Amino acid sequence: NLYKGVISASHSLVKETRVAYLGPQYSYSHLAAIEYFGSNVELVPAASIRAVFEEIANKQAEYGLVPVENSTDGRVADTLDMFARQPVSISGEVQLPIHHNLIARCSRSEITEVYSKPQALSQCREWIARHLPGVRTVEITSTAVAAQIACDKPGAAAVASTEAAMFYGLNIVDAQIEDNKSNVTRFAVLGGPLPKRTGKDKTSLMFEIPHKPGALADALLVFKRTKLNMTWIESFPKPGVKTEYLFFTEFEGHQLEPRIARALDLLRKRCTRFEILGSYPRREPVA
């Protein structure tokens, strides 16, 4: 905490650093932004993942933070879609344990509706079915907005963070109701300069290959021959084109390492589109 405070203070001495995140306040993206940047920056809530990317592209914010992947639900499609449409650099990551709570003004027996974002409801599906049979679930844009609804609407509850419950003055009816107790969401930090090599880095790529047999196998063979340790790969439909895909991957190492640079040159020659999204230090899940 002291280290993060010093870093945040050094940022603010130069100028007030603006960080856009998927809001509103006390969403999990907000908590991840606080974890990474501390509190001595200007945290700017955005209404959508697209809006976070646009804040960076339009130079309205120096940094952004968006969810990339959840250990229960997998990829965050809206984020991958925006990388495909408007690539920006990745300069860091946050792995935030996600503990959902059932929060409300009333008791569990008085709850008639449960509000939250689709991913949060999905991550608590079994618990809700077992403990709140017959209660209607309502999908909305944010866990923090769900908390606000639970604050204002009789009989409404929300699936949200402890911090959201405290902010809106709600009771935690049941704590840690997520079905997977190892539930973690990984967030990408957007914008900023290329971080220096640390020896414990990862590199993120987006690439497209020719639409012909064996093209993907040829591309992946580069990883084997150059001994790149891939840690993540996703296919994603190419926007506006049927049956063609982009590929997102991450591997251990930094793009400025000579061995990695040579491997990337080999891979680039096998692709019709090739974007190095960033290299940055690997981070373990927050304790």
Side-chain angles (χ1 to χ4, degrees):
N1 287 335
L2 176 62
Y3 175 76
K4 286 187 292 186
V6 170
I7 295 298
S8 290
S10 66
H11 283 166
S12 63
L13 286 174
V14 177
K15 65 174 183 176
E16 191 170 35
T17 302
R18 287 173 57 88
V19 180
Y21 67 91
L22 178 60
Q25 276 188 309
Y26 302 105
S27 64
Y28 290 106
S29 292
H30 184 215
L31 301 181
I34 293 172
E35 170 62 34
Y36 189 87
F37 291 99
S39 57
N40 293 325
V41 295
E42 183 183 1
L43 297 175
V44 182
S48 64
I49 288 173
R50 175 185 288 273
V52 175
F53 276 77
E54 290 174 347
E55 287 280 322
I56 301 297
N58 296 331
K59 302 187 185 305
Q60 299 300 310
E62 288 80 17
Y63 293 92
L65 187 138
V66 291
V68 173
E69 178 190 31
N70 176 265
S71 58
T72 300
D73 289 333
R75 69 186 184 184
V76 178
D78 287 351
T79 296
L80 300 191
D81 182 62
M82 285 308 301
F83 276 124
R85 297 177 185 275
Q86 193 174 56
V88 300
S89 63
I90 301 174
S91 58
E93 69 174 357
V94 181
Q95 297 203 52
L96 187 72
I98 304 297
H99 297 302
H100 296 301
N101 304 291
L102 183 71
I103 62 178
R105 287 197 180 280
C106 57
S107 65
R108 190 202 293 180
S109 62
E110 298 173 294
I111 294 172
T112 58
E113 297 176 316
V114 177
Y115 290 79
S116 201
K117 64 188 299 184
Q119 294 88 345
L121 292 173
S122 172
Q123 291 161 23
C124 304
R125 183 186 301 111
E126 292 181 11
W127 190 97
I128 292 172
R130 186 166 60 251
H131 294 93
L132 295 171
V135 170
R136 189 168 77 102
T137 57
V138 184
E139 297 181 354
I140 56 171
T141 57
S142 167
T143 57
V145 171
Q148 185 174 4
I149 292 173
C151 181
D152 297 335
K153 187 174 183 181
V159 174
S161 67
T162 300
E163 291 81 358
M166 294 172 62
F167 182 76
Y168 287 102
L170 296 168
N171 300 319
I172 296 179
V173 179
D174 289 281
Q176 298 192 14
I177 66 171
E178 64 276 2
D179 298 325
N180 175 9
K181 298 308 177 184
S182 299
N183 193 28
V184 174
T185 294
R186 186 160 58 90
F187 296 83
V189 178
L190 309 179
L194 175 66
K196 295 180 179 179
R197 293 166 55 181
T198 68
K200 295 182 178 180
D201 304 298
K202 65 165 59 172
T203 295
S204 296
L205 300 176
M206 178 181 67
F207 63 89
E208 181 183 354
I209 52 177
H211 190 52
K212 65 180 184 181
L216 179 58
D218 290 342
L220 295 181
L221 193 58
V222 172
F223 289 87
K224 179 179 180 180
R225 288 177 174 171
T226 58
K227 298 182 179 179
L228 297 184
N229 188 24
M230 189 185 301
T231 58
W232 184 61
I233 186 169
E234 283 282 353
S235 61
F236 190 77
K238 184 178 177 181
V241 181
K242 293 182 179 179
T243 72
E244 294 188 28
Y245 290 82
L246 297 170
F247 294 89
F248 293 85
T249 185
E250 294 175 351
F251 60 87
E252 294 178 352
H254 195 289
Q255 61 184 285
L256 297 182
E257 296 177 46
R259 178 180 69 88
I260 302 295
R262 290 192 295 270
L264 293 175
D265 285 340
L266 289 173
L267 183 58
R268 184 182 284 106
K269 293 174 182 176
R270 289 164 170 75
C271 299
T272 56
R273 180 180 178 184
F274 186 84
E275 303 273 356
I276 302 174
L277 298 177
S279 296
Y280 45 91
R282 301 195 306 270
R283 290 181 58 147
E284 298 300 320
V286 177

